Amino acid sequence: MTALIIDGKKIAEGIHQEVADTIRKRTAAGYPVPGLATVLIGEDPASQIYVRNKIRTCEKLGIHSVAYTLPADTTLKTLEELINFLNAAPDIHGILVQLPLPEQIDEYRVLSLINPQKDVDGFQPINAGMLSRKNSTPWFIPCTPAGILKLIQSVEPEIAGMEAVVIGRSSIVGMPTAQLLCRNNATVTICHTQTRQLAEVCRRADLLVVAVGHSKLVKADWVKPGAIVIDVGQNRVEDASADKGYVLTGDTDFDAIVPIARAITPVPGGVGPMTIAMLMRNTLSAAIKFSV
Ligand code: GUN
């Protein structure tokens, strides 16, 4: 078997197209232009790149974006005032606070301040809680998990009853992905640093999602033949021969897994573009919900 390489970039572009078309039609009909505020605190280089890409994509699709860049020593009080202002701003439909936050800022408190109806990241505790509850519907589903589900469904639309293993339990990716797969009726196991016999658990997976930030952790013999493998890793590995001095690797041993899996996402070009596409979709959906 040779795995299908899931083209996240192409799938994301299709979503961009849909979002841009809808925005064009809605604005022509007199509805407001969707607005996204991004809040970046500190100078983490990876966060700067992520936020820049989000803003660029907004511009491309016709979403109004306002970028707030604050110093690393920003106080909770300043952030509170900014978020209160954005919660009340009529031209802002979505608020995104880029994570991680500097250490002195309590992430949970900051996320709690966001109006759940503007929480396009789906991290506000009300939305996060609703994701974990049966028979309740969050206003927004976190972007990376939503993108992962789309990528899986591009290969296998119905995942009910499938054995899913998620490695990683972060609040941004691992945990909400596990919850989302469970909501879609997969049988889900969450693995983490304390998991025993990790390789053995992985070998049970029809769907294997890896989000740990450990370059090439998952080896070929961890993968069940015919599994769908989603690699969320974006690891910068030093490489003097590369233009940038580093290469980007995933959390799986991609080349070795290709002959075994049914499908696998590449790094780059797999999950990364989907996170932004789902953010654009969530922002449009926030604007639509606000204007009904
Ligand atoms: N940091 C890494 N991924 C994300 C994301 O999807 N949203 C936010 N706000 N921060 C992140």
Side-chain angles (χ1 to χ4, degrees):
M1 179 176 287
T2 298
L4 166 78
I5 313 299
I6 306 173
D7 190 344
K9 201 160 168 244
K10 190 166 160 204
I11 297 171
E13 271 160 15
I15 294 168
H16 291 175
Q17 198 67 53
E18 276 172 30
V19 170
D21 287 349
T22 308
I23 292 173
R24 209 173 309 113
K25 284 182 197 144
R26 282 178 55 84
T27 47
Y31 289 103
V33 172
L36 175 70
T38 61
V39 181
L40 173 63
I41 303 135
E43 282 161 19
D44 177 62
S47 292
Q48 286 173 331
I49 294 171
Y50 293 146
V51 170
R52 199 183 317 136
N53 288 340
K54 289 169 187 177
I55 292 166
R56 273 198 201 137
T57 313
C58 282
E59 281 165 14
K60 225 171 68 185
L61 306 193
I63 292 175
H64 162 64
S65 73
V66 187
Y68 293 86
T69 307
L70 305 174
D73 61 358
T74 298
T75 61
L76 183 63
K77 185 165 177 292
T78 304
L79 260 179
E80 211 169 318
E81 283 165 6
L82 174 60
I83 291 173
N84 287 340
F85 166 76
L86 295 172
N87 281 339
D91 61 333
I92 295 299
H93 304 96
I95 302 170
L96 176 142
V97 177
Q98 186 66 26
L99 303 176
L101 294 174
E103 251 176 35
Q104 83 278 8
I105 300 174
D106 181 340
E107 179 184 301
Y108 183 83
R109 279 198 65 188
V110 172
L111 295 175
S112 304
L113 297 169
I114 299 172
N115 175 350
Q117 295 184 35
K118 291 193 176 188
D119 172 38
V120 284
D121 251 332
F123 297 155
Q124 208 274 2
I126 289 178
N127 283 317
M130 285 203 288
L131 184 67
S132 70
R133 279 181 56 89
K134 210 175 166 200
N135 301 327
S136 69
T137 308
W139 285 90
F140 302 98
I141 290 174
C143 303
T144 304
I148 289 169
L149 182 62
K150 279 257 168 253
L151 293 174
I152 293 171
Q153 288 176 328
S154 75
V155 180
E156 182 56 66
E158 181 51 85
I159 66 165
M162 289 177 92
E163 194 84 44
V165 171
V166 179
I167 317 182
R169 55 178 159 178
S170 73
S171 307
I172 296 178
V173 184
M175 192 58 78
T177 298
Q179 289 164 338
L180 188 58
L181 296 177
C182 186
R183 285 176 83 90
N184 283 271
N185 301 314
T187 301
V188 182
T189 303
I190 303 172
C191 299
H192 45 74
T193 45
Q194 305 292 312
T195 298
R196 295 182 190 148
Q197 271 106 32
L198 179 59
E200 207 171 289
V201 177
C202 290
R203 275 194 287 273
R204 295 205 304 256
D206 303 309
L207 303 173
L208 181 59
V209 179
V210 197
V212 284
H214 181 138
S215 179
K216 301 188 183 183
L217 172 78
V218 173
K219 310 296 178 216
D221 66 352
W222 297 25
V223 175
K224 176 177 173 177
I228 298 173
V229 180
I230 306 292
D231 188 341
V232 191
Q234 303 243 32
N235 308 295
R236 286 184 183 195
V237 176
E238 276 185 36
D239 182 341
S241 68
D243 286 349
K244 293 179 179 163
Y246 65 86
V247 289
L248 213 53
T249 67
D251 290 347
T252 68
D253 191 354
F254 180 87
D255 291 338
I257 293 171
V258 165
I260 296 161
R262 173 175 171 196
I264 185 167
T265 56
V267 177
V271 174
M274 292 301 288
T275 298
I276 298 190
M278 300 321 281
L279 174 67
M280 299 298 115
R281 185 182 261 191
N282 279 353
T283 304
L284 169 60
S285 132
I288 293 174
K289 283 173 182 154
F290 262 71
S291 55
V292 288

